[in-house]
């Protein structure tokens, strides 16, 4: 009688385990990648909003009370933004030093002071101030640039000329003081980096402050 050989079936559980391992690996790769995308999105959102939270630099809109300048150049509220505000700013020892932020803010304060004084005199300087605002905006748009001396000189010279017109209108005895302001503005070297001529720029701000104080 012939012997019948019976082969044992090979167990299938190793294949099941292998399939489960493969599925686990695929699951990990897919969801790990999704998590990374989420992290990237969150990181990008943080980076995009950080500048708003960290910004400690006075901006054009925050510092200047120029709501009416776009439509009526001679209408500016002098409350807290006039001559006293400018004098307080340039006399604050914590702000002295002519870094870029100080220079930017000092120009804006000086513009407000001159405008406020013109309002007090009922003297129209709207056309002259339009050109000054253009120079000041270029400084504000890139406050960390190393070559702002040309714009500072341009704005300072124009403001000095405006104050000279106001002086001739109502303060004839202050002609020497006006000349001091104009000379200080002219002595700013437009090709020299701002931080390399701190004393001269500070002198201009101080001379302008002295003139405005005497006009008050």
């Amino acid at each position: 009688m012939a012997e019948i050989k019976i082969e044992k079936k090979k167990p299938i559980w190793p294949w099941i385990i292998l399939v489960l391992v493969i599925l686990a690996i695929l699951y990990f790769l897919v969801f790990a990648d999704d998590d990374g995308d989420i992290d990237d999105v969150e990181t990008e959102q943080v980076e995009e909003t950080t500048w708003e939270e960290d910004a400690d630099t006075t901006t054009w809109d925050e510092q200047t009370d120029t709501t009416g300048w776009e439509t009526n150049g001679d209408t500016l509220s002098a409350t807290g933004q006039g001559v006293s505000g400018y004098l307080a700013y340039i006399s604050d020892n914590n702000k002295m030093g002519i870094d870029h932020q100080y220079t930017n803010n000092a120009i804006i304060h000086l513009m407000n002071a001159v405008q406020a004084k013109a309002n007090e005199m009922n003297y129209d300087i709207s056309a002259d101030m339009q050109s000054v605002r253009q120079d000041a905006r270029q400084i504000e748009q890139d406050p960390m640039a190393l070559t702002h001396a040309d714009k500072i000189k341009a704005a300072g010279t124009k403001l000095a000329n405006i104050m000279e017109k106001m002086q001739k209108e109502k303060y004839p005895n202050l002609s020497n003081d006006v000349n001091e302001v104009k000379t200080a503005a002219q002595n700013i070297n437009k090709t020299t980096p701002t931080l390399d001529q701190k004393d001269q720029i500070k002198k201009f701000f101080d001379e302008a402050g002295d003139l405005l104080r005497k006009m008050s």
Side-chain angles (χ1 to χ4, degrees):
M1 184 176 178
E3 182 179 353
I4 299 175
K5 292 183 179 180
I6 299 175
E7 294 183 0
K8 294 182 178 180
K9 292 183 178 180
K10 294 181 180 180
I12 64 171
W13 60 266
W15 294 102
I16 296 175
I17 293 175
L18 179 60
V19 171
L20 291 176
V21 170
I22 293 174
L23 291 175
I25 293 173
L26 291 174
Y27 178 87
F28 175 79
L29 292 176
V30 171
F31 284 91
D33 185 64
D34 290 342
D35 291 341
D37 292 341
I38 293 173
D39 291 340
D40 291 341
V41 172
E42 291 177 350
T43 302
E44 291 175 359
Q45 291 175 343
V46 170
E47 291 175 350
E48 290 174 356
T49 57
T50 298
W51 69 272
E52 296 179 354
E53 297 172 355
D54 295 341
D56 189 27
T57 302
T58 304
T59 63
W60 181 272
D61 292 334
E62 291 171 351
Q63 184 62 35
T64 56
D65 184 11
T66 55
T67 304
W69 282 15
E70 297 301 329
T71 53
N72 299 304
D74 57 344
T75 57
L76 172 71
S77 172
T79 305
Q81 295 289 338
V83 175
S84 61
Y86 173 70
L87 295 176
Y89 185 83
I90 64 172
S91 65
D92 188 343
N93 291 330
N94 294 325
K95 295 177 179 177
M96 291 175 63
I98 308 296
D99 58 11
H100 297 293
Q101 180 180 340
Y102 174 90
T103 306
N104 175 46
N105 293 350
I107 286 289
I108 293 173
H109 275 289
L110 180 55
M111 291 169 62
N112 280 325
V114 172
Q115 183 67 67
K117 175 54 65 175
N119 290 349
E120 181 183 313
M121 296 171 54
N122 197 26
Y123 188 73
D124 185 9
I125 61 172
S126 56
D128 295 316
M129 289 299 289
Q130 180 65 33
S131 180
V132 180
R133 289 198 296 276
Q134 292 176 357
D135 293 326
R137 281 196 179 98
Q138 291 185 45
I139 298 173
E140 193 270 339
Q141 286 170 0
D142 189 11
M144 297 309 296
L146 297 177
T147 55
H148 278 325
D150 57 338
K151 296 303 176 185
I152 295 171
K153 180 172 184 174
T157 300
K158 292 170 186 176
L159 285 167
N161 290 336
I162 293 171
M163 286 188 281
E164 183 180 36
K165 293 179 180 179
M166 295 162 58
Q167 172 265 316
K168 290 180 178 180
E169 178 74 15
K170 192 172 181 180
Y171 306 95
N173 61 320
L174 297 180
S175 58
N176 290 335
D177 298 275
V178 168
N179 289 333
E180 291 292 332
V181 179
K182 294 177 66 176
T183 299
Q186 287 297 324
N187 287 340
I188 297 173
N189 191 329
K190 65 181 181 180
T191 61
T192 301
T194 305
L195 298 182
D196 290 343
Q197 50 180 332
K198 297 186 295 185
D199 293 340
Q200 184 56 50
I201 294 175
K202 185 63 169 63
K203 179 176 176 60
F204 164 70
F205 288 137
D206 288 341
E207 293 292 351
D210 288 340
L211 176 60
L212 288 170
R213 186 183 294 109
K214 291 177 180 179
M215 285 181 172
S216 299

